[in-house]
Amino acid sequence: MPTVIFVRHGRSSANVSGVLAGWMPGVELDEHGRSQADAVGVRLASAGVPVVEVVTSPLPRCVETADRLSAPLEGVRRSEHDGLGECRYGAWTGRKLGELVKEPLWKVVQKTPSKARFPGSEQYEGESMLQMQRRALRAVRETNRRIAAEHGREAVWVAVSHGDVIKSILSAAAGAELDDFQRISVDPASVSVVRYTPARPFVLRLNDTGGDLASLRPPQKPTTPAGDAVVGGGAGA
């Protein structure tokens, strides 16, 4: 199955102001966030990573990130998938994080997120964090199947999404429960990588914000069967 490069959107205006953006309209990258998105594209292009498609959350901060990182990748397709969209925080949307810390639900989100459900409001739909994870994983599985059918099992694609969404995907890839996903950090414009195989996912990178990405190129001659871990740890890329 394909390798997926998960990229969180670059820094946004909401990140700077300490607001939980959710599906709030008008949240775009700030100047630093645009530079971050550009840098990810340059890293991928300079490393020669053969990205076949960039799939993004439909929210503007992710779409802009996807467009900017796609620019140096000649001829790459760009598409959107609602399943990669931000968690639907409902009545929490648009509120200051400093206020939300005082809510009883905050502790649930921190300690047992599998039991956390955000209350809806007239303006914004709410969902549980478990629902968020399930539809995000479904989006990855659907896209993996399509990419593999179109480009082969060794294809590489980029998923541009949001912090909590990516963390929930990574925790599943690592075999952890959703209640453990707060152990993972996913910074703006960070790169996290999972190689999916018929046997199991392999987490290759977590929260990478700099450095060479050449090791993400598919191996020319795999030395072990697909899905097998290298006994002893292997020699690296």
Side-chain angles (χ1 to χ4, degrees):
M1 297 297 286
T3 295
V4 187
I5 301 172
F6 295 98
V7 178
R8 184 183 170 193
H9 61 79
R11 194 177 75 178
S12 72
S13 54
N15 294 144
V16 174
S17 60
V19 168
L20 185 63
W23 286 72
M24 187 171 61
V27 178
E28 300 178 348
L29 303 185
D30 65 8
E31 183 176 354
H32 182 62
R34 289 190 287 272
S35 296
Q36 289 177 318
D38 292 341
V40 174
V42 171
R43 290 176 67 200
L44 290 169
S46 63
V49 181
V51 176
V52 299
E53 188 168 340
V54 176
V55 185
T56 179
S57 154
L59 292 171
R61 56 195 183 274
C62 283
V63 172
E64 185 177 2
T65 299
D67 286 343
R68 298 187 79 97
L69 72 82
S70 296
L73 307 177
E74 185 176 353
V76 70
R77 178 185 176 189
R78 214 271 287 150
S79 62
E80 297 179 12
H81 198 306
D82 286 349
L84 295 176
E86 179 64 288
C87 184
R88 295 187 179 275
Y89 295 116
W92 278 31
T93 304
R95 294 181 60 190
K96 290 278 190 179
L97 294 173
E99 298 174 0
L100 295 173
V101 170
K102 303 172 186 177
E103 297 279 352
L105 181 58
W106 181 273
K107 291 183 178 180
V108 180
V109 172
Q110 297 301 314
K111 296 181 178 180
T112 52
S114 65
K115 298 179 181 178
R117 174 180 292 275
F118 297 98
S121 66
E122 291 185 4
Q123 190 173 5
Y124 297 108
E125 177 184 351
E127 72 176 341
S128 70
M129 301 206 86
L130 194 56
Q131 286 175 313
M132 173 199 73
Q133 183 188 47
R134 286 172 176 169
R135 49 102 166 156
L137 291 173
R138 185 165 57 248
V140 172
R141 287 193 296 268
E142 291 172 355
T143 308
N144 268 343
R145 287 194 294 268
R146 177 175 62 79
I147 294 289
E150 295 175 359
H151 301 281
R153 301 175 70 86
E154 297 300 318
V156 180
W157 62 280
V158 173
V160 182
S161 189
H162 308 264
D164 281 346
V165 177
I166 295 174
K167 285 165 60 176
S168 75
I169 295 170
L170 294 175
S171 66
E177 299 292 334
L178 182 60
D179 286 343
D180 295 319
F181 97 132
Q182 298 291 21
R183 298 169 182 258
I184 300 172
S185 292
V186 175
D187 294 326
S190 63
V191 171
S192 299
V193 185
V194 179
R195 178 163 60 88
Y196 290 90
T197 77
R200 64 179 65 85
F202 288 87
V203 180
L204 305 183
R205 295 204 182 192
L206 283 174
N207 200 36
D208 183 344
T209 57
D212 184 17
L213 295 175
S215 64
L216 301 182
R217 293 196 298 263
Q220 296 299 313
K221 294 181 179 180
T223 57
T224 60
D228 284 2
V230 179
V231 178

PDB file of all heavy atoms in Angstrom, residues 77-99:
ATOM      1  N   ARG A  77      -1.160  16.260  -8.879  1.00  0.00           N
ATOM      2  CA  ARG A  77      -2.591  16.515  -8.754  1.00  0.00           C
ATOM      3  C   ARG A  77      -2.922  16.974  -7.349  1.00  0.00           C
ATOM      4  O   ARG A  77      -2.289  16.551  -6.388  1.00  0.00           O
ATOM      5  CB  ARG A  77      -3.362  15.229  -9.083  1.00  0.00           C
ATOM      6  CG  ARG A  77      -4.877  15.359  -8.942  1.00  0.00           C
ATOM      7  CD  ARG A  77      -5.559  14.028  -9.161  1.00  0.00           C
ATOM      8  NE  ARG A  77      -6.985  14.113  -8.945  1.00  0.00           N
ATOM      9  CZ  ARG A  77      -7.809  13.070  -8.891  1.00  0.00           C
ATOM     10  NH1 ARG A  77      -7.329  11.847  -9.052  1.00  0.00           N
ATOM     11  NH2 ARG A  77      -9.103  13.228  -8.681  1.00  0.00           N
ATOM     12  N   ARG A  78      -3.913  17.865  -7.216  1.00  0.00           N
ATOM     13  CA  ARG A  78      -4.366  18.339  -5.908  1.00  0.00           C
ATOM     14  C   ARG A  78      -5.858  18.125  -5.797  1.00  0.00           C
ATOM     15  O   ARG A  78      -6.627  18.513  -6.669  1.00  0.00           O
ATOM     16  CB  ARG A  78      -4.020  19.815  -5.740  1.00  0.00           C
ATOM     17  CG  ARG A  78      -3.676  20.197  -4.300  1.00  0.00           C
ATOM     18  CD  ARG A  78      -4.881  20.599  -3.509  1.00  0.00           C
ATOM     19  NE  ARG A  78      -5.388  21.891  -3.894  1.00  0.00           N
ATOM     20  CZ  ARG A  78      -6.675  22.227  -3.817  1.00  0.00           C
ATOM     21  NH1 ARG A  78      -7.567  21.353  -3.414  1.00  0.00           N
ATOM     22  NH2 ARG A  78      -7.064  23.422  -4.166  1.00  0.00           N
ATOM     23  N   SER A  79      -6.319  17.460  -4.725  1.00  0.00           N
ATOM     24  CA  SER A  79      -7.739  17.188  -4.530  1.00  0.00           C
ATOM     25  C   SER A  79      -8.106  17.438  -3.073  1.00  0.00           C
ATOM     26  O   SER A  79      -7.237  17.670  -2.232  1.00  0.00           O
ATOM     27  CB  SER A  79      -8.082  15.746  -4.926  1.00  0.00           C
ATOM     28  OG  SER A  79      -7.390  14.814  -4.113  1.00  0.00           O
ATOM     29  N   GLU A  80      -9.416  17.386  -2.773  1.00  0.00           N
ATOM     30  CA  GLU A  80      -9.904  17.604  -1.419  1.00  0.00           C
ATOM     31  C   GLU A  80     -10.698  16.388  -0.946  1.00  0.00           C
ATOM     32  O   GLU A  80     -11.293  15.678  -1.746  1.00  0.00           O
ATOM     33  CB  GLU A  80     -10.797  18.847  -1.367  1.00  0.00           C
ATOM     34  CG  GLU A  80     -10.077  20.143  -1.732  1.00  0.00           C
ATOM     35  CD  GLU A  80     -11.006  21.354  -1.701  1.00  0.00           C
ATOM     36  OE1 GLU A  80     -12.137  21.245  -1.182  1.00  0.00           O
ATOM     37  OE2 GLU A  80     -10.581  22.422  -2.200  1.00  0.00           O
ATOM     38  N   HIS A  81     -10.674  16.173   0.367  1.00  0.00           N
ATOM     39  CA  HIS A  81     -11.455  15.085   0.963  1.00  0.00           C
ATOM     40  C   HIS A  81     -12.006  15.587   2.297  1.00  0.00           C
ATOM     41  O   HIS A  81     -11.247  15.950   3.194  1.00  0.00           O
ATOM     42  CB  HIS A  81     -10.584  13.852   1.184  1.00  0.00           C
ATOM     43  CG  HIS A  81     -11.356  12.580   1.386  1.00  0.00           C
ATOM     44  ND1 HIS A  81     -12.353  12.449   2.350  1.00  0.00           N
ATOM     45  CD2 HIS A  81     -11.295  11.373   0.749  1.00  0.00           C
ATOM     46  CE1 HIS A  81     -12.853  11.230   2.302  1.00  0.00           C
ATOM     47  NE2 HIS A  81     -12.238  10.551   1.338  1.00  0.00           N
ATOM     48  N   ASP A  82     -13.331  15.600   2.417  1.00  0.00           N
ATOM     49  CA  ASP A  82     -13.969  16.088   3.641  1.00  0.00           C
ATOM     50  C   ASP A  82     -13.543  15.301   4.874  1.00  0.00           C
ATOM     51  O   ASP A  82     -13.542  15.823   5.991  1.00  0.00           O
ATOM     52  CB  ASP A  82     -15.494  16.033   3.504  1.00  0.00           C
ATOM     53  CG  ASP A  82     -16.040  17.126   2.600  1.00  0.00           C
ATOM     54  OD1 ASP A  82     -15.271  18.047   2.246  1.00  0.00           O
ATOM     55  OD2 ASP A  82     -17.234  17.061   2.245  1.00  0.00           O
ATOM     56  N   GLY A  83     -13.181  14.025   4.675  1.00  0.00           N
ATOM     57  CA  GLY A  83     -12.794  13.189   5.801  1.00  0.00           C
ATOM     58  C   GLY A  83     -11.540  13.660   6.498  1.00  0.00           C
ATOM     59  O   GLY A  83     -11.291  13.289   7.654  1.00  0.00           O
ATOM     60  N   LEU A  84     -10.747  14.484   5.829  1.00  0.00           N
ATOM     61  CA  LEU A  84      -9.532  15.036   6.421  1.00  0.00           C
ATOM     62  C   LEU A  84      -9.787  16.375   7.099  1.00  0.00           C
ATOM     63  O   LEU A  84      -8.860  17.007   7.606  1.00  0.00           O
ATOM     64  CB  LEU A  84      -8.439  15.204   5.352  1.00  0.00           C
ATOM     65  CG  LEU A  84      -7.920  13.917   4.709  1.00  0.00           C
ATOM     66  CD1 LEU A  84      -6.926  14.248   3.600  1.00  0.00           C
ATOM     67  CD2 LEU A  84      -7.280  13.001   5.751  1.00  0.00           C
ATOM     68  N   GLY A  85     -11.048  16.819   7.107  1.00  0.00           N
ATOM     69  CA  GLY A  85     -11.392  18.094   7.723  1.00  0.00           C
ATOM     70  C   GLY A  85     -11.203  18.088   9.234  1.00  0.00           C
ATOM     71  O   GLY A  85     -11.133  17.039   9.874  1.00  0.00           O
ATOM     72  N   GLU A  86     -11.141  19.285   9.784  1.00  0.00           N
ATOM     73  CA  GLU A  86     -10.930  19.462  11.217  1.00  0.00           C
ATOM     74  C   GLU A  86     -12.019  18.787  12.048  1.00  0.00           C
ATOM     75  O   GLU A  86     -13.134  18.548  11.556  1.00  0.00           O
ATOM     76  CB  GLU A  86     -10.890  20.964  11.530  1.00  0.00           C
ATOM     77  CG  GLU A  86     -10.702  21.334  12.990  1.00  0.00           C
ATOM     78  CD  GLU A  86      -9.370  20.882  13.564  1.00  0.00           C
ATOM     79  OE1 GLU A  86      -9.221  19.660  13.762  1.00  0.00           O
ATOM     80  OE2 GLU A  86      -8.514  21.748  13.820  1.00  0.00           O
ATOM     81  N   CYS A  87     -11.693  18.477  13.292  1.00  0.00           N
ATOM     82  CA  CYS A  87     -12.715  17.987  14.217  1.00  0.00           C
ATOM     83  C   CYS A  87     -13.817  19.034  14.317  1.00  0.00           C
ATOM     84  O   CYS A  87     -13.555  20.244  14.317  1.00  0.00           O
ATOM     85  CB  CYS A  87     -12.095  17.751  15.591  1.00  0.00           C
ATOM     86  SG  CYS A  87     -13.239  17.046  16.801  1.00  0.00           S
ATOM     87  N   ARG A  88     -15.040  18.580  14.395  1.00  0.00           N
ATOM     88  CA  ARG A  88     -16.170  19.510  14.518  1.00  0.00           C
ATOM     89  C   ARG A  88     -16.374  19.803  16.005  1.00  0.00           C
ATOM     90  O   ARG A  88     -16.986  19.026  16.730  1.00  0.00           O
ATOM     91  CB  ARG A  88     -17.420  18.907  13.876  1.00  0.00           C
ATOM     92  CG  ARG A  88     -17.241  18.723  12.365  1.00  0.00           C
ATOM     93  CD  ARG A  88     -18.522  18.296  11.667  1.00  0.00           C
ATOM     94  NE  ARG A  88     -18.323  18.142  10.236  1.00  0.00           N
ATOM     95  CZ  ARG A  88     -18.393  19.117   9.347  1.00  0.00           C
ATOM     96  NH1 ARG A  88     -18.653  20.351   9.757  1.00  0.00           N
ATOM     97  NH2 ARG A  88     -18.188  18.884   8.061  1.00  0.00           N
ATOM     98  N   TYR A  89     -15.840  20.950  16.407  1.00  0.00           N
ATOM     99  CA  TYR A  89     -15.821  21.316  17.818  1.00  0.00           C
ATOM    100  C   TYR A  89     -17.118  21.964  18.299  1.00  0.00           C
ATOM    101  O   TYR A  89     -17.236  22.306  19.472  1.00  0.00           O
ATOM    102  CB  TYR A  89     -14.656  22.267  18.088  1.00  0.00           C
ATOM    103  CG  TYR A  89     -13.289  21.651  17.881  1.00  0.00           C
ATOM    104  CD1 TYR A  89     -12.434  22.119  16.893  1.00  0.00           C
ATOM    105  CD2 TYR A  89     -12.853  20.606  18.691  1.00  0.00           C
ATOM    106  CE1 TYR A  89     -11.174  21.569  16.705  1.00  0.00           C
ATOM    107  CE2 TYR A  89     -11.600  20.041  18.506  1.00  0.00           C
ATOM    108  CZ  TYR A  89     -10.758  20.532  17.510  1.00  0.00           C
ATOM    109  OH  TYR A  89      -9.516  19.991  17.330  1.00  0.00           O
ATOM    110  N   GLY A  90     -18.079  22.133  17.410  1.00  0.00           N
ATOM    111  CA  GLY A  90     -19.387  22.621  17.823  1.00  0.00           C
ATOM    112  C   GLY A  90     -19.337  23.942  18.567  1.00  0.00           C
ATOM    113  O   GLY A  90     -18.756  24.927  18.100  1.00  0.00           O
ATOM    114  N   ALA A  91     -19.917  23.962  19.764  1.00  0.00           N
ATOM    115  CA  ALA A  91     -20.032  25.184  20.555  1.00  0.00           C
ATOM    116  C   ALA A  91     -18.673  25.705  21.039  1.00  0.00           C
ATOM    117  O   ALA A  91     -18.578  26.852  21.494  1.00  0.00           O
ATOM    118  CB  ALA A  91     -20.951  24.944  21.756  1.00  0.00           C
ATOM    119  N   TRP A  92     -17.646  24.902  20.945  1.00  0.00           N
ATOM    120  CA  TRP A  92     -16.302  25.360  21.310  1.00  0.00           C
ATOM    121  C   TRP A  92     -15.658  26.204  20.209  1.00  0.00           C
ATOM    122  O   TRP A  92     -14.674  26.888  20.440  1.00  0.00           O
ATOM    123  CB  TRP A  92     -15.401  24.162  21.609  1.00  0.00           C
ATOM    124  CG  TRP A  92     -15.553  23.607  22.992  1.00  0.00           C
ATOM    125  CD1 TRP A  92     -16.678  23.593  23.763  1.00  0.00           C
ATOM    126  CD2 TRP A  92     -14.534  22.970  23.771  1.00  0.00           C
ATOM    127  NE1 TRP A  92     -16.433  22.993  24.962  1.00  0.00           N
ATOM    128  CE2 TRP A  92     -15.129  22.596  25.004  1.00  0.00           C
ATOM    129  CE3 TRP A  92     -13.204  22.677  23.552  1.00  0.00           C
ATOM    130  CZ2 TRP A  92     -14.414  21.938  26.006  1.00  0.00           C
ATOM    131  CZ3 TRP A  92     -12.485  22.017  24.548  1.00  0.00           C
ATOM    132  CH2 TRP A  92     -13.085  21.655  25.762  1.00  0.00           C
ATOM    133  N   THR A  93     -16.199  26.134  19.011  1.00  0.00           N
ATOM    134  CA  THR A  93     -15.603  26.807  17.859  1.00  0.00           C
ATOM    135  C   THR A  93     -15.529  28.314  18.071  1.00  0.00           C
ATOM    136  O   THR A  93     -16.500  28.952  18.472  1.00  0.00           O
ATOM    137  CB  THR A  93     -16.425  26.509  16.592  1.00  0.00           C
ATOM    138  OG1 THR A  93     -16.512  25.098  16.411  1.00  0.00           O
ATOM    139  CG2 THR A  93     -15.792  27.154  15.364  1.00  0.00           C
ATOM    140  N   GLY A  94     -14.358  28.876  17.801  1.00  0.00           N
ATOM    141  CA  GLY A  94     -14.166  30.313  17.890  1.00  0.00           C
ATOM    142  C   GLY A  94     -13.861  30.835  19.272  1.00  0.00           C
ATOM    143  O   GLY A  94     -13.644  32.039  19.450  1.00  0.00           O
ATOM    144  N   ARG A  95     -13.815  29.961  20.250  1.00  0.00           N
ATOM    145  CA  ARG A  95     -13.547  30.403  21.625  1.00  0.00           C
ATOM    146  C   ARG A  95     -12.060  30.362  21.940  1.00  0.00           C
ATOM    147  O   ARG A  95     -11.295  29.598  21.354  1.00  0.00           O
ATOM    148  CB  ARG A  95     -14.318  29.523  22.613  1.00  0.00           C
ATOM    149  CG  ARG A  95     -15.832  29.670  22.518  1.00  0.00           C
ATOM    150  CD  ARG A  95     -16.535  28.792  23.538  1.00  0.00           C
ATOM    151  NE  ARG A  95     -16.165  29.127  24.907  1.00  0.00           N
ATOM    152  CZ  ARG A  95     -16.497  28.391  25.973  1.00  0.00           C
ATOM    153  NH1 ARG A  95     -17.213  27.274  25.805  1.00  0.00           N
ATOM    154  NH2 ARG A  95     -16.122  28.761  27.193  1.00  0.00           N
ATOM    155  N   LYS A  96     -11.649  31.182  22.892  1.00  0.00           N
ATOM    156  CA  LYS A  96     -10.261  31.236  23.304  1.00  0.00           C
ATOM    157  C   LYS A  96      -9.884  29.955  24.067  1.00  0.00           C
ATOM    158  O   LYS A  96     -10.650  29.472  24.915  1.00  0.00           O
ATOM    159  CB  LYS A  96     -10.030  32.441  24.215  1.00  0.00           C
ATOM    160  CG  LYS A  96     -10.104  33.785  23.501  1.00  0.00           C
ATOM    161  CD  LYS A  96      -8.781  34.097  22.820  1.00  0.00           C
ATOM    162  CE  LYS A  96      -8.748  35.532  22.321  1.00  0.00           C
ATOM    163  NZ  LYS A  96      -7.443  35.861  21.683  1.00  0.00           N
ATOM    164  N   LEU A  97      -8.701  29.452  23.783  1.00  0.00           N
ATOM    165  CA  LEU A  97      -8.230  28.263  24.490  1.00  0.00           C
ATOM    166  C   LEU A  97      -8.106  28.522  25.987  1.00  0.00           C
ATOM    167  O   LEU A  97      -8.359  27.626  26.801  1.00  0.00           O
ATOM    168  CB  LEU A  97      -6.880  27.830  23.918  1.00  0.00           C
ATOM    169  CG  LEU A  97      -6.893  27.324  22.469  1.00  0.00           C
ATOM    170  CD1 LEU A  97      -5.473  27.089  21.978  1.00  0.00           C
ATOM    171  CD2 LEU A  97      -7.719  26.062  22.333  1.00  0.00           C
ATOM    172  N   GLY A  98      -7.751  29.746  26.345  1.00  0.00           N
ATOM    173  CA  GLY A  98      -7.637  30.091  27.758  1.00  0.00           C
ATOM    174  C   GLY A  98      -8.945  29.960  28.511  1.00  0.00           C
ATOM    175  O   GLY A  98      -8.952  29.697  29.724  1.00  0.00           O
ATOM    176  N   GLU A  99     -10.078  30.123  27.809  1.00  0.00           N
ATOM    177  CA  GLU A  99     -11.397  29.936  28.411  1.00  0.00           C
ATOM    178  C   GLU A  99     -11.769  28.460  28.450  1.00  0.00           C
ATOM    179  O   GLU A  99     -12.332  27.966  29.429  1.00  0.00           O
ATOM    180  CB  GLU A  99     -12.455  30.697  27.609  1.00  0.00           C
ATOM    181  CG  GLU A  99     -12.258  32.203  27.559  1.00  0.00           C
ATOM    182  CD  GLU A  99     -13.271  32.862  26.633  1.00  0.00           C
ATOM    183  OE1 GLU A  99     -14.113  32.138  26.054  1.00  0.00           O
ATOM    184  OE2 GLU A  99     -13.211  34.094  26.481  1.00  0.00           O
TER     185      GLU A  99
END
